[in-house]
Amino acid sequence: MRIDIITVLPEIFNGPLNQSILKRAQEKGLVTLQVHNLRDYSTSKHRQVDDYAFGGGAGMVLMSEPIFAIIEKLKTERTYDEIIYMSPDGELFDQKMANSLSLKQNFIILCGHYKGVDERVRKHLITKEISIGDYVLSGGELAAAVVSDALIRLVPGVLSDETSALTDSFQDDLIAPPVYTRPEDFKGMKVPEILLSGHEKKINEWRYEQSVERTKQRRPKLWKEN
Ligand code: SAH
C-alpha cells in the first residue's frame, strides 16, 4: 500500500505515523507513506497556497493551482485507486469503509485547512470525500492520520498476529470482548475464572457471549442491523 498525503503542515505527521505498528509497517516495506508539503508546489514568491474567498467572508481557502500541480504530477508517477479529500461533509468513515479501502493499493489524501479547498479541486480531482465524524477539526491532518492508521493495520503482515485485526471490534459487526492480563488477582479484583481454565472452546463461547452483550448495550443499532 502507498499513501501520499498532501498538507500545509507536514510536521504533524512526524508523530502519529512514525511509532509502533505504523513505523514497523513502513520499515518492513509493507507500506509507503509519503508526506508532501503543498507549499513546495506554490508558484508564488512567498510560497502562498491560500487566498481570500470570492464573495467575501472570513477565512482563507486553499487554492486550486498548487493542488492541481502536485496531484497531476503524482498521477504521472503511478495510478491511484482513490484521491481522497478529508472533509466534515464527506462519507462517514467506519470499519466497513476501512476494510474495502484496504484492498486497494495507492491513495492520495488531501488535507484541507482554514475554510477548506477551492470547490474546483473537489469537483475535478477528488474521487472520494471522507469525514471522521460530525464535528469540525481545524485541519484535515489528524483525520488523515486516523484513516491511514485504520488502513495500514489491515495490510496483511502489518499486525504480528495475523488474526488479530479480525478479532477487533466491528469486524464481525460485534464489539470486542473484555481482555485481561497479569496479575490474576489485582487488589482483590479477579480475572474471570473461565479465562484461566485453558478450555479453548469454552473461552471462545464466553468471549462471543460477552461480545453480543456489549454490542446490545453499547451499539444497539449495530445489533439490530444484524
Ligand atoms: N468550512 C468547512 C470546514 C473546514 S475545517 C466546513 O464547514 O465544512 C478545515 C479542514 O479540516 C477541512 O477542509 C477538512 O480537510 C478538515 N476537517 C475538519 N473536520 C473534519 C472531519 N470531521 N473529518 C475530516 N476532515 C475534517
Side-chain angles (χ1 to χ4, degrees), residues 133-212:
D134 284 347
Y135 41 81
V136 178
L137 303 165
S138 46
E141 287 75 16
L142 296 178
V146 166
V147 169
S148 301
D149 184 323
L151 296 187
I152 291 170
R153 66 195 295 286
L154 293 172
V155 171
V158 167
L159 294 183
S160 44
D161 177 356
E162 282 282 359
T163 62
S164 188
L166 298 176
T167 59
D168 285 326
S169 291
F170 307 113
Q171 282 301 3
D172 42 11
D173 287 331
L174 287 175
I175 301 291
V179 289
Y180 295 85
T181 185
R182 287 186 292 180
E184 286 177 33
D185 185 337
F186 176 63
K187 297 183 176 177
M189 296 177 276
K190 300 214 170 80
V191 171
E193 283 285 316
I194 182 82
L195 295 177
L196 311 172
S197 69
H199 197 305
E200 202 188 327
K201 187 163 169 275
K202 288 221 169 100
I203 292 173
N204 286 339
E205 279 166 14
W206 180 86
R207 285 184 168 152
Y208 180 73
E209 284 160 20
Q210 293 285 318
S211 285
V212 168

XYZ file of all heavy atoms in Angstrom, residues 133-212:
616
model
N -16.181 12.164 11.400
C -17.236 12.358 12.392
C -17.895 13.712 12.212
O -17.331 14.607 11.577
N -19.065 13.849 12.790
C -19.815 15.098 12.645
C -19.349 16.163 13.627
O -20.058 16.518 14.569
C -21.317 14.825 12.807
C -21.903 14.172 11.579
O -21.228 14.163 10.532
O -23.039 13.664 11.655
N -18.142 16.617 13.414
C -17.578 17.729 14.171
C -16.520 18.344 13.266
O -16.108 17.706 12.293
C -16.943 17.250 15.489
C -16.168 15.977 15.354
C -14.860 15.980 14.869
C -16.752 14.747 15.672
C -14.156 14.811 14.714
C -16.045 13.567 15.519
C -14.753 13.594 15.045
O -14.066 12.422 14.877
N -16.098 19.564 13.575
C -15.155 20.235 12.677
C -13.781 20.372 13.325
O -13.655 20.890 14.438
C -15.683 21.627 12.254
C -14.672 22.335 11.362
C -17.013 21.475 11.515
N -12.772 19.870 12.641
C -11.378 19.991 13.078
C -10.783 21.215 12.396
O -11.324 21.703 11.406
C -10.591 18.743 12.665
C -11.137 17.409 13.169
C -10.498 16.255 12.396
C -10.863 17.277 14.659
N -9.626 21.668 12.870
C -9.051 22.847 12.226
C -8.316 22.506 10.935
O -8.071 23.378 10.111
C -8.151 23.607 13.188
O -7.315 22.717 13.848
N -7.975 21.245 10.766
C -7.326 20.834 9.526
C -7.571 19.355 9.287
O -7.983 18.628 10.192
N -7.289 18.907 8.067
C -7.534 17.505 7.720
C -6.448 16.551 8.198
O -6.568 15.334 8.038
N -5.374 17.074 8.809
C -4.213 16.233 9.137
C -4.541 15.102 10.126
O -4.184 13.953 9.907
C -3.068 17.091 9.689
C -2.368 17.940 8.625
C -3.179 19.145 8.185
O -4.144 19.515 8.880
O -2.844 19.711 7.120
N -5.190 15.465 11.232
C -5.488 14.417 12.215
C -6.457 13.393 11.633
O -6.339 12.195 11.883
C -6.041 15.033 13.513
C -5.057 15.941 14.252
C -5.706 16.546 15.492
C -3.794 15.182 14.652
N -7.403 13.876 10.839
C -8.352 12.962 10.197
C -7.623 12.028 9.222
O -7.896 10.822 9.179
C -9.432 13.759 9.477
N -6.671 12.565 8.462
C -5.907 11.740 7.516
C -5.081 10.703 8.269
O -4.918 9.558 7.822
C -4.991 12.618 6.663
N -4.567 11.094 9.443
C -3.787 10.145 10.244
C -4.684 9.016 10.756
O -4.286 7.847 10.765
C -3.109 10.871 11.414
N -5.899 9.368 11.134
C -6.853 8.344 11.604
C -7.130 7.337 10.482
O -7.045 6.121 10.673
C -8.181 9.017 12.068
C -9.297 8.008 12.224
C -7.957 9.772 13.377
N -7.447 7.855 9.303
C -7.778 6.970 8.178
C -6.557 6.122 7.801
O -6.664 4.909 7.600
C -8.288 7.794 6.974
C -8.376 6.945 5.709
C -9.647 8.415 7.295
N -5.372 6.745 7.754
C -4.155 5.998 7.383
C -3.888 4.877 8.383
O -3.577 3.748 8.000
C -2.943 6.926 7.341
O -3.163 7.955 6.417
N -4.017 5.171 9.668
C -3.792 4.162 10.696
C -4.747 2.982 10.513
O -4.342 1.817 10.487
C -3.987 4.816 12.083
C -3.692 3.873 13.242
O -4.011 2.668 13.145
O -3.156 4.344 14.263
N -6.032 3.301 10.328
C -7.031 2.240 10.190
C -6.756 1.367 8.959
O -6.985 0.155 8.990
C -8.430 2.841 10.116
N -6.255 1.975 7.880
C -5.983 1.202 6.657
C -4.709 0.370 6.797
O -4.676 -0.808 6.444
C -5.823 2.128 5.441
C -7.021 2.949 5.016
C -6.727 3.661 3.697
C -8.235 2.047 4.832
N -3.672 0.989 7.336
C -2.367 0.330 7.375
C -2.414 -0.934 8.235
O -1.849 -1.957 7.888
C -1.281 1.305 7.881
C -1.055 2.389 6.830
C 0.025 0.576 8.178
C -0.197 3.549 7.307
N -3.124 -0.880 9.367
C -3.138 -2.051 10.234
C -3.877 -3.236 9.610
O -3.789 -4.354 10.106
C -3.680 -1.714 11.623
C -5.122 -1.331 11.662
C -5.450 -0.664 12.985
N -5.299 -1.569 14.130
C -6.134 -2.547 14.432
N -7.164 -2.784 13.671
N -5.932 -3.297 15.499
N -4.609 -2.990 8.500
C -5.308 -4.082 7.820
C -4.459 -4.719 6.714
O -4.824 -5.745 6.166
C -6.624 -3.573 7.217
C -7.690 -3.140 8.231
C -8.856 -2.468 7.527
C -8.166 -4.324 9.055
N -3.337 -4.107 6.386
C -2.476 -4.675 5.335
C -1.872 -5.981 5.870
O -1.325 -6.002 6.970
C -1.354 -3.683 4.952
C -0.339 -4.335 4.028
C -1.943 -2.425 4.316
N -2.018 -7.083 5.115
C -1.501 -8.369 5.593
C -0.027 -8.272 5.991
O 0.773 -7.690 5.264
C -1.679 -9.292 4.386
C -2.780 -8.680 3.598
C -2.661 -7.196 3.798
N 0.292 -8.807 7.164
C 1.676 -8.812 7.636
C 1.987 -7.658 8.570
O 3.002 -7.680 9.259
N 1.136 -6.644 8.613
C 1.429 -5.483 9.464
C 1.253 -5.832 10.943
O 2.103 -5.530 11.773
C 0.570 -4.257 9.076
C 0.637 -3.182 10.141
C 1.037 -3.710 7.733
N 0.156 -6.503 11.275
C -0.016 -6.940 12.658
C 0.703 -8.270 12.814
O 0.594 -9.146 11.962
C -1.503 -7.088 12.995
C -2.307 -5.786 12.984
C -3.735 -6.036 13.395
C -1.681 -4.746 13.897
N 1.439 -8.417 13.912
C 2.268 -9.616 14.047
C 1.409 -10.883 14.123
O 1.715 -11.894 13.515
C 3.157 -9.499 15.274
O 2.403 -9.010 16.355
N 0.288 -10.820 14.841
C -0.614 -11.954 14.889
C -1.630 -11.774 13.766
O -2.489 -10.900 13.806
C -1.304 -11.974 16.265
C -2.323 -13.089 16.349
O -2.533 -13.777 15.345
O -2.900 -13.252 17.432
N -1.517 -12.614 12.741
C -2.308 -12.466 11.514
C -3.805 -12.326 11.777
O -4.517 -11.662 11.044
C -2.086 -13.685 10.605
C -0.773 -13.639 9.841
C -0.849 -12.711 8.635
O -1.917 -12.143 8.397
O 0.174 -12.578 7.945
N -4.294 -12.982 12.828
C -5.745 -12.962 13.038
C -6.166 -11.780 13.893
O -7.345 -11.551 14.094
C -6.212 -14.250 13.749
O -5.579 -14.293 15.026
C -5.890 -15.474 12.943
N -5.215 -11.032 14.366
C -5.514 -10.009 15.356
C -6.568 -8.997 14.900
O -7.482 -8.684 15.641
C -4.226 -9.298 15.742
O -4.463 -8.443 16.803
N -6.432 -8.495 13.682
C -7.374 -7.473 13.209
C -8.792 -8.046 13.113
O -9.773 -7.332 13.279
C -6.945 -6.926 11.859
N -8.873 -9.343 12.851
C -10.194 -9.956 12.683
C -10.960 -10.049 13.992
O -12.173 -10.195 13.999
C -10.042 -11.368 12.082
C -9.413 -11.412 10.696
C -9.212 -12.840 10.248
C -10.286 -10.662 9.703
N -10.241 -10.004 15.102
C -10.931 -10.116 16.391
C -11.186 -8.743 17.019
O -11.612 -8.651 18.151
C -10.114 -10.976 17.380
O -8.840 -10.367 17.556
C -9.931 -12.387 16.880
N -10.907 -7.694 16.278
C -11.189 -6.358 16.794
C -12.672 -6.037 16.661
O -13.383 -6.675 15.895
C -10.396 -5.300 16.007
C -8.938 -5.303 16.381
O -8.641 -5.571 17.555
O -8.106 -5.048 15.490
N -13.079 -4.996 17.384
C -14.464 -4.530 17.291
C -14.844 -4.232 15.840
O -13.999 -3.826 15.050
C -14.637 -3.252 18.112
O -14.539 -3.533 19.483
N -16.111 -4.449 15.522
C -16.758 -4.133 14.240
C -16.444 -5.128 13.134
O -17.142 -5.163 12.138
C -16.417 -2.712 13.740
C -16.690 -1.667 14.768
C -15.656 -0.960 15.348
C -17.989 -1.409 15.187
C -15.901 -0.004 16.318
C -18.251 -0.459 16.156
C -17.209 0.246 16.724
N -15.392 -5.951 13.274
C -15.036 -6.801 12.153
C -16.126 -7.799 11.836
O -16.328 -8.169 10.706
C -13.700 -7.529 12.405
C -12.497 -6.650 12.189
C -12.398 -6.082 10.778
O -13.272 -6.291 9.943
N -11.341 -5.353 10.506
N -16.827 -8.287 12.848
C -17.933 -9.201 12.595
C -19.241 -8.559 13.059
O -20.155 -9.232 13.487
C -17.679 -10.536 13.317
C -17.138 -10.300 14.713
O -17.170 -9.131 15.162
O -16.700 -11.257 15.358
N -19.280 -7.234 12.982
C -20.430 -6.468 13.462
C -20.674 -6.658 14.948
O -21.782 -6.550 15.436
C -21.703 -6.807 12.665
C -21.630 -6.199 11.275
O -20.967 -5.161 11.126
O -22.227 -6.771 10.348
N -19.630 -7.027 15.671
C -19.716 -7.158 17.130
C -18.610 -6.338 17.775
O -17.539 -6.162 17.192
C -19.532 -8.629 17.541
C -20.681 -9.589 17.253
C -20.263 -11.008 17.602
C -21.945 -9.203 18.015
N -18.881 -5.870 18.991
C -17.864 -5.173 19.775
C -16.936 -6.236 20.375
O -17.391 -7.322 20.738
C -18.557 -4.401 20.928
C -19.557 -3.400 20.371
C -17.560 -3.753 21.862
C -18.955 -2.251 19.648
N -15.655 -5.920 20.500
C -14.700 -6.884 21.059
C -15.022 -7.194 22.529
O -15.506 -6.319 23.251
C -13.287 -6.329 20.936
N -14.740 -8.417 22.977
C -14.983 -8.787 24.382
C -13.931 -8.149 25.291
O -12.892 -7.692 24.810
C -14.828 -10.307 24.370
C -13.877 -10.571 23.247
C -14.165 -9.525 22.208
N -14.152 -8.140 26.618
C -13.147 -7.592 27.533
C -11.884 -8.444 27.545
O -11.945 -9.649 27.303
C -13.831 -7.627 28.905
C -15.007 -8.517 28.761
C -15.367 -8.579 27.324
N -10.747 -7.812 27.801
C -9.475 -8.542 27.867
C -8.790 -8.265 29.203
O -8.978 -7.206 29.801
C -8.525 -8.156 26.705
C -9.031 -8.706 25.397
C -8.360 -6.640 26.598
N -7.998 -9.218 29.655
C -7.277 -9.112 30.934
C -5.847 -9.592 30.741
O -5.579 -10.421 29.870
C -7.924 -10.018 31.993
C -9.326 -9.625 32.369
C -10.413 -10.066 31.610
C -9.574 -8.833 33.482
C -11.707 -9.708 31.949
C -10.873 -8.476 33.837
C -11.938 -8.923 33.062
O -13.215 -8.580 33.405
N -4.933 -9.085 31.584
C -3.583 -9.635 31.603
C -3.130 -9.766 33.060
O -3.903 -9.482 33.985
C -2.610 -8.774 30.771
O -1.334 -9.433 30.729
C -2.437 -7.373 31.376
N -1.889 -10.237 33.289
C -1.436 -10.473 34.664
C -1.434 -9.198 35.517
O -1.233 -8.119 34.961
C -0.022 -11.079 34.624
C -0.063 -12.517 34.151
C 1.272 -13.156 34.240
N 2.206 -12.561 33.282
C 3.473 -12.941 33.150
N 3.972 -13.908 33.895
N 4.248 -12.362 32.270
N -1.642 -9.238 36.808
C -1.827 -10.448 37.609
C -3.288 -10.945 37.630
O -4.203 -10.178 37.308
C -1.437 -9.971 39.016
C -1.839 -8.530 39.025
C -1.595 -8.023 37.628
N -3.453 -12.216 38.020
C -4.802 -12.796 38.083
C -5.669 -12.087 39.117
O -6.868 -11.962 38.943
C -4.703 -14.272 38.499
C -4.188 -15.163 37.399
C -4.032 -16.593 37.882
O -4.821 -17.032 38.736
O -3.096 -17.246 37.406
N -5.003 -11.691 40.223
C -5.735 -11.015 41.300
C -5.045 -9.677 41.550
O -3.903 -9.629 42.004
C -5.678 -11.905 42.555
C -6.523 -11.319 43.686
O -6.761 -10.080 43.673
O -6.927 -12.079 44.575
N -5.721 -8.597 41.210
C -5.141 -7.274 41.442
C -5.971 -6.565 42.499
O -7.124 -6.173 42.237
C -5.117 -6.469 40.136
C -4.617 -5.068 40.304
C -3.316 -4.821 40.736
C -5.445 -3.980 40.060
C -2.862 -3.523 40.913
C -4.994 -2.687 40.225
C -3.700 -2.458 40.661
N -5.382 -6.459 43.704
C -6.070 -5.816 44.839
C -7.484 -6.356 45.021
O -8.438 -5.590 45.199
C -6.109 -4.300 44.637
C -4.733 -3.674 44.610
C -4.824 -2.168 44.490
C -3.432 -1.552 44.568
N -3.417 -0.121 44.393
N -7.608 -7.662 44.879
C -8.921 -8.285 45.096
C -9.814 -8.298 43.857
O -10.871 -8.924 43.858
N -9.397 -7.603 42.797
C -10.185 -7.627 41.554
C -9.668 -8.779 40.708
O -8.494 -8.781 40.299
C -10.021 -6.300 40.799
C -10.569 -5.101 41.537
S -10.286 -3.559 40.658
C -8.621 -3.152 41.156
N -10.562 -9.760 40.486
C -10.102 -11.010 39.865
C -10.440 -11.097 38.374
O -11.415 -10.516 37.902
C -10.742 -12.184 40.603
C -10.393 -12.239 42.096
C -10.302 -13.685 42.566
C -9.715 -13.761 43.965
N -10.698 -13.457 45.012
N -9.609 -11.865 37.674
C -9.853 -12.163 36.260
C -10.945 -13.237 36.211
O -10.922 -14.156 37.037
C -8.547 -12.694 35.622
C -8.793 -13.224 34.224
C -7.482 -11.604 35.613
N -11.908 -13.146 35.277
C -12.927 -14.195 35.192
C -12.289 -15.590 35.091
O -11.387 -15.804 34.275
C -13.692 -13.847 33.913
C -13.494 -12.379 33.747
C -12.125 -12.083 34.301
N -12.780 -16.503 35.953
C -12.262 -17.878 36.053
C -12.064 -18.544 34.688
O -11.035 -19.148 34.420
C -13.270 -18.746 36.839
C -13.243 -18.518 38.339
C -12.027 -19.169 38.988
O -11.738 -20.319 38.626
O -11.377 -18.506 39.824
N -13.068 -18.386 33.856
C -13.090 -19.105 32.571
C -11.825 -18.846 31.739
O -11.312 -19.738 31.077
C -14.370 -18.724 31.768
C -14.472 -19.480 30.446
C -14.456 -17.248 31.485
C -15.022 -20.826 30.564
N -11.303 -17.601 31.841
C -10.125 -17.249 31.029
C -8.863 -17.960 31.516
O -7.860 -18.027 30.805
C -9.905 -15.728 31.039
C -11.002 -14.902 30.373
C -10.709 -13.403 30.501
C -11.131 -15.274 28.894
N -8.911 -18.489 32.747
C -7.744 -19.176 33.305
C -7.874 -20.692 33.145
O -6.992 -21.449 33.524
C -7.596 -18.841 34.803
C -7.668 -17.342 35.140
C -7.704 -17.130 36.646
C -6.483 -16.614 34.540
N -9.016 -21.130 32.568
C -9.329 -22.564 32.548
C -8.522 -23.331 31.515
O -8.374 -24.547 31.604
C -10.816 -22.756 32.254
O -11.078 -22.367 30.897
N -8.031 -22.651 30.490
C -7.301 -23.335 29.427
C -8.226 -24.066 28.461
O -7.772 -24.720 27.521
N -9.516 -23.940 28.681
C -10.504 -24.642 27.859
C -10.899 -23.744 26.686
O -11.789 -22.895 26.787
C -11.729 -24.946 28.749
C -12.626 -25.996 28.182
N -13.181 -25.924 26.928
C -13.079 -27.162 28.713
C -13.923 -26.980 26.699
N -13.869 -27.756 27.778
N -10.242 -23.956 25.533
C -10.364 -23.018 24.430
C -11.801 -22.817 23.941
O -12.237 -21.693 23.689
C -9.467 -23.470 23.269
C -9.143 -22.314 22.343
C -8.412 -22.745 21.083
O -7.627 -23.719 21.151
O -8.638 -22.120 20.048
N -12.510 -23.934 23.814
C -13.877 -23.857 23.285
C -14.754 -23.015 24.211
O -15.487 -22.134 23.761
C -14.448 -25.266 23.120
C -15.779 -25.293 22.425
C -16.118 -26.688 21.899
C -17.577 -26.747 21.457
N -18.492 -27.038 22.563
N -14.651 -23.306 25.505
C -15.470 -22.561 26.484
C -15.070 -21.077 26.506
O -15.919 -20.198 26.644
C -15.308 -23.161 27.885
C -15.995 -24.505 28.057
C -16.692 -24.585 29.417
C -17.610 -25.775 29.528
N -16.985 -26.895 30.272
N -13.775 -20.824 26.393
C -13.301 -19.426 26.390
C -13.891 -18.681 25.190
O -14.388 -17.569 25.315
C -11.758 -19.368 26.372
C -11.210 -19.885 27.705
C -11.265 -17.947 26.097
C -9.701 -20.030 27.763
N -13.865 -19.340 24.028
C -14.416 -18.701 22.832
C -15.903 -18.430 22.974
O -16.398 -17.383 22.542
C -14.141 -19.543 21.587
C -12.675 -19.447 21.185
O -11.978 -18.493 21.567
N -12.192 -20.441 20.459
N -16.604 -19.406 23.583
C -18.041 -19.206 23.802
C -18.279 -18.002 24.729
O -19.133 -17.153 24.459
C -18.674 -20.459 24.453
C -18.977 -21.552 23.442
C -19.279 -22.894 24.105
O -19.510 -22.925 25.349
O -19.255 -23.905 23.389
N -17.498 -17.935 25.800
C -17.628 -16.824 26.753
C -17.362 -15.490 26.054
O -18.101 -14.531 26.214
C -16.643 -17.036 27.913
C -16.699 -15.942 28.951
C -17.539 -15.858 30.017
C -15.859 -14.770 29.020
N -17.291 -14.722 30.741
C -16.269 -14.033 30.157
C -14.814 -14.278 28.231
C -15.664 -12.829 30.526
C -14.222 -13.076 28.602
C -14.640 -12.372 29.736
N -16.311 -15.477 25.252
C -15.965 -14.232 24.551
C -17.090 -13.803 23.618
O -17.419 -12.625 23.523
C -14.660 -14.411 23.763
C -13.467 -14.412 24.679
C -12.168 -14.478 23.921
N -11.055 -14.185 24.798
C -9.824 -14.650 24.640
N -9.540 -15.443 23.614
N -8.877 -14.337 25.491
N -17.660 -14.774 22.912
C -18.744 -14.469 21.989
C -19.933 -13.879 22.747
O -20.499 -12.856 22.354
C -19.149 -15.728 21.210
C -20.275 -15.459 20.244
C -20.060 -14.734 19.078
C -21.571 -15.890 20.528
C -21.095 -14.440 18.209
C -22.614 -15.610 19.670
C -22.374 -14.891 18.506
O -23.415 -14.596 17.648
N -20.297 -14.540 23.883
C -21.426 -14.031 24.679
C -21.168 -12.602 25.157
O -22.050 -11.748 25.121
C -21.661 -14.917 25.912
C -22.342 -16.232 25.600
C -22.116 -17.259 26.714
O -21.774 -16.852 27.839
O -22.251 -18.466 26.425
N -19.938 -12.364 25.605
C -19.586 -11.020 26.077
C -19.700 -9.997 24.946
O -20.173 -8.883 25.143
C -18.153 -11.016 26.619
C -17.978 -11.824 27.884
C -18.558 -11.109 29.101
O -18.397 -9.908 29.253
N -19.247 -11.845 29.947
N -19.255 -10.410 23.757
C -19.325 -9.519 22.592
C -20.775 -9.169 22.278
O -21.098 -8.007 22.020
C -18.722 -10.182 21.352
O -17.333 -10.188 21.445
N -21.628 -10.175 22.297
C -23.046 -9.966 21.997
C -23.641 -9.009 23.022
O -24.309 -8.021 22.668
C -23.802 -11.318 21.999
C -25.314 -11.086 21.985
C -23.368 -12.164 20.810
